[in-house]
Amino acid sequence: MVHLWLRAETKPKEHRAALTPSSCRVLIQNGFQITVERSTERIFNDEEYEQEGCTLVPFGTWKTAPSDAYIIGLKELPENDNSPLSHSHIFFAHCYKNQSGWKNILKRFVQGNGILLDLEFLTDERGRRVAAFGYHAGFAGSALGLDVWAQQQIHPGQKYPSVEHFPNENDLITYVKDRLSKAISVKGYTPRIMVVGALGRCGKGAIEFARKVDIPEENIIKWDLEETKKGGPFPEILETDIFVNCIYLSQKISPFLTKEMLDLPRRLSVIADVSCDNTNPNNPIPVYTGNTTFGNPTIAVETKNTHPLDVISIDHLPTLLPRESSEQFTNDLLPSLLELSNRDTAKVWVDVEMLFRQKASLIDS
Ligand SMILES: NC(=O)c1ccc[n+]([C@@H]2O[C@H](COP(=O)([O-])OP(=O)(O)OC[C@H]3O[C@@H](n4cnc5c(N)ncnc54)[C@H](O)[C@@H]3O)[C@@H](O)[C@H]2O)c1
């Protein structure tokens, strides 16, 4: 019997879950045993899991789980703990691309004989990721981009306040629609929003949000590789109000915008940088530094122009809609989870374990 142990997330303002109550129902019907750590932060109540037949245990007790249980979560393990890891862990570890601290986390697995089955690297036969949060990242990035623009019109000069997650998508749409309608009556026009990386997961989500708040199709400018192949910088971006960057950066490209361009007359007043490549040497938007947070969502870019320019660069945007983003992610993950019962032969798990062994061999224990 496969035993999954849902770890409670510890990152501040993280309300998403790697397993939803409805996915637990399907897994239990298929003979899985599921243990859930109690959490007051998770968007789904403990009782919802209990009703599906999960066993509830105290917060943060995964270290005491039976050795054959898979510990499943989304974000990082609690910080300030360097103890060896002995279980098989399924989560986004962010340690395979030389990110800061990558050696420390891998070392813990090596020392404890544990295994990392990283969610980011679960791929199907065609090499495509089986589950990702991109759609809701773009959806949330577009929502915040439009709302920051609304704030600039309704309360000029006032900093955009901290943001809390929304209980569901409809509440977010209603809220932004209302703010946009006030802003449009002040400004006298409907904003133009430009999505670059429009054909990808994040791009599709960004476009869909703009449609859901009734931005007319001609005001949603959609660019992907075809439109950027001539090479940046692109003065066209300055003619839009909100620029949502959703590209997957895989090589050196010329910048989309430069700092000098922002001194020119422009309509652009909001950049929602969903891709958040600001620490990458090939960052196509080198006009700001550092990420923003839900507590402090925008950075104001200083220019010689009096027109404002606010940047949103939050690296866990799907948290704005924890319910829908968790449901969509877990539904996509479910077929692979069901294959855990043949873990030794299921390609998706064999490949991701092999990747772990390769990466682990790069560090000294
Ligand atoms: N901020 C967040 O919370 C968050 C969450 C999820 C993903 N992301 C990031 O968003 C980015 C996009 O993820 P995705 O899942 O949508 O990727 P994806 O591969 O589904 O889509 C990327 C799109 O970008 C396009 N693209 C690549 N280079 C381009 C260029 N130079 N010009 C124009 N278009 C270009 C591709 O053709 C593709 O359509 C990634 O960097 C990912 O890490 C951020």
Side-chain angles (χ1 to χ4, degrees):
M1 185 196 281
V2 180
H3 183 182
L4 284 170
W5 182 293
L6 179 63
R7 172 165 69 73
E9 301 293 334
T10 50
K11 185 170 170 131
K13 291 192 187 263
E14 181 54 81
H15 309 290
R16 291 175 293 170
L19 295 178
T20 60
S22 60
S23 64
C24 290
R25 182 189 321 140
V26 177
L27 290 163
I28 289 169
Q29 281 164 354
N30 280 274
F32 280 54
Q33 180 187 349
I34 308 205
T35 301
V36 174
E37 291 184 6
R38 292 186 186 279
S39 165
T40 50
E41 288 296 307
R42 205 185 277 130
I43 191 76
F44 307 100
N45 297 332
D46 293 345
E47 295 69 39
E48 294 181 69
Y49 290 96
E50 226 155 14
Q51 279 161 14
E52 300 298 350
C54 305
T55 305
L56 274 287
V57 292
F59 177 93
T61 45
W62 53 269
K63 282 189 185 170
T64 64
S67 58
D68 62 348
Y70 291 90
I71 313 298
I72 183 165
L74 290 175
K75 302 301 280 186
E76 299 86 343
L77 297 169
E79 283 173 9
N80 307 324
D81 181 351
N82 281 322
S83 57
L85 297 165
S86 58
H87 292 92
S88 292
H89 283 257
I90 302 174
F91 71 114
F92 287 102
H94 301 298
C95 64
Y96 287 173
K97 298 181 195 158
N98 296 339
Q99 291 98 328
S100 63
W102 70 276
K103 277 190 177 171
N104 289 348
I105 177 78
L106 278 176
K107 201 176 245 182
R108 293 177 66 191
F109 280 100
V110 171
Q111 287 172 342
N113 270 329
I115 298 177
L116 168 62
L117 303 167
D118 195 310
L119 286 169
E120 188 178 348
F121 298 93
L122 294 178
T123 52
D124 64 16
E125 312 71 46
R126 287 190 281 170
R128 289 188 317 196
R129 282 179 62 179
V130 300
F133 277 102
Y135 177 87
H136 283 96
F139 198 86
S142 177
L144 291 181
L146 285 158
D147 195 45
V148 169
W149 181 84
Q151 169 86 2
Q152 290 170 344
Q153 319 316 320
I154 307 168
H155 303 292
Q158 271 185 32
K159 183 155 170 56
Y160 188 73
S162 81
V163 177
E164 288 302 322
H165 70 282
F166 281 75
N168 60 62
E169 186 178 306
N170 281 344
D171 283 13
L172 174 65
I173 291 168
T174 307
Y175 171 76
V176 176
K177 252 188 184 173
D178 179 55
R179 295 254 298 170
L180 274 177
S181 122
K182 288 186 186 120
I184 289 167
S185 61
V186 172
K187 188 74 179 172
Y189 70 67
T190 303
R192 218 184 280 157
I193 179 166
M194 178 167 191
V195 179
V196 181
L199 299 178
R201 281 178 286 252
C202 294
K204 285 182 182 142
I207 293 167
E208 199 51 31
F209 185 84
R211 288 180 175 144
K212 289 200 173 190
V213 291
D214 299 334
I215 301 293
E217 207 58 31
E218 64 272 19
N219 283 32
I220 309 174
I221 296 117
K222 307 163 193 95
W223 278 21
D224 205 273
L225 285 172
E226 183 58 31
E227 291 77 11
T228 61
K229 71 180 177 200
K230 60 185 175 185
F234 301 109
E236 293 92 328
I237 299 175
L238 300 182
E239 290 160 24
T240 67
D241 299 277
I242 301 140
F243 165 40
V244 189
N245 177 38
C246 292
I247 73 156
Y248 185 83
L249 182 66
S250 56
Q251 56 177 331
K252 185 161 180 52
I253 51 174
S254 45
F256 293 165
L257 285 174
T258 62
K259 195 97 172 53
E260 296 71 46
M261 282 169 76
L262 301 175
D263 295 334
L264 298 171
R266 59 181 156 82
R267 228 168 117 149
L268 183 73
S269 61
V270 182
I271 300 175
D273 191 1
V274 176
S275 305
C276 290
D277 287 312
N278 53 61
T279 58
N280 188 309
N282 301 324
N283 175 23
I285 316 179
V287 302
Y288 75 96
T289 49
N291 284 120
T292 63
T293 61
F294 284 107
N296 190 9
T298 57
I299 304 172
V301 179
E302 297 269 328
T303 69
K304 291 188 183 139
N305 200 314
T306 52
H307 195 50
L309 183 65
D310 289 318
V311 177
I312 303 153
S313 175
I314 299 176
D315 66 3
H316 58 125
L317 283 166
T319 285
L320 189 66
L321 283 176
R323 182 169 290 274
E324 285 88 350
S325 61
S326 303
E327 291 286 7
Q328 180 250 306
F329 180 82
T330 314
N331 279 345
D332 292 347
L333 185 63
L334 199 49
S336 304
L337 289 177
L338 288 167
E339 288 210 66
L340 274 174
S341 37
N342 338 297
R343 152 114 179 264
D344 293 344
T345 52
K347 188 171 163 26
V348 63
W349 297 110
V350 170
D351 287 356
V352 84
E353 181 172 342
M354 210 183 331
L355 181 64
F356 163 71
R357 304 254 173 237
Q358 278 167 13
K359 297 289 180 187
S361 72
L362 299 177
I363 60 153
D364 320 310
S365 58

